[in-house]
Amino acid sequence: TYLEIFESLSPGREKVGYLICDQRTLDRFGNRRFQTKAVGFLSEHELNGVVSDMHAELLVLSARATFTNDRALIRTFPHRLDPLRVMEISASVLRRHPAVSLFVLRLLRSPGAKSPPTIPE
């Protein structure tokens, strides 16, 4: 996909999951990592619900006159079995009309963990 090609252009960077949501067409485009990295944190159904809720919240926020496109929503989720692992989903508006938003999913160590901040694949 285009996002995976884009990601491959920056070697040595953290491997993250990407998802783009288009409000007009209701299409979602992303890399496979967006779903595979969520395993152990959220079910596929829960992940889709989180994305839908965050996208709706971004649409409400972006309708405000004071909203700027550099604002982001961030949600964190603990791993179901490993309390030292945390999944972070951040989202931001790429375009207001028609609304398109970008989601980035990262795996982190919990704030109390004394190891490297990101978890390698």
Side-chain angles (χ1 to χ4, degrees):
T1 66
Y2 291 116
L3 290 174
E4 289 173 349
I5 293 169
F6 171 77
E7 187 177 358
S8 72
L9 295 175
S10 51
R13 302 274 178 159
E14 177 183 2
K15 304 290 187 198
V16 298
Y18 295 98
L19 184 71
I20 294 176
C21 295
D22 185 328
Q23 179 65 24
R24 184 176 44 88
T25 64
L26 301 178
D27 287 333
R28 293 180 177 182
F29 304 96
N31 63 3
R32 286 182 287 282
R33 274 192 206 101
F34 195 84
Q35 286 187 316
T36 60
K37 285 186 165 286
V39 171
F41 295 92
L42 298 172
S43 69
E44 188 174 337
H45 177 73
E46 291 169 323
L47 181 61
N48 284 326
V50 167
V51 168
S52 295
D53 290 348
M54 290 178 74
H55 184 69
E57 188 174 348
L58 278 172
L59 294 179
V60 170
L61 290 172
S62 68
R64 295 180 181 169
T66 58
F67 184 81
T68 58
N69 280 358
D70 62 347
R71 298 189 60 191
L73 295 178
I74 299 173
R75 302 287 183 269
T76 58
F77 304 89
H79 192 272
R80 294 177 195 245
L81 301 175
D82 184 353
L84 297 180
R85 296 177 68 191
V86 176
M87 178 179 71
E88 176 185 272
I89 300 176
S90 55
S92 186
V93 173
L94 293 178
R95 184 176 63 206
R96 284 186 178 188
H97 303 288
V100 175
S101 54
L102 171 66
F103 291 78
V104 176
L105 186 150
R106 303 173 58 208
L107 299 185
L108 310 167
R109 294 273 178 197
S110 68
K114 295 183 179 180
S115 50
T118 59
I119 300 171
E121 280 191 48

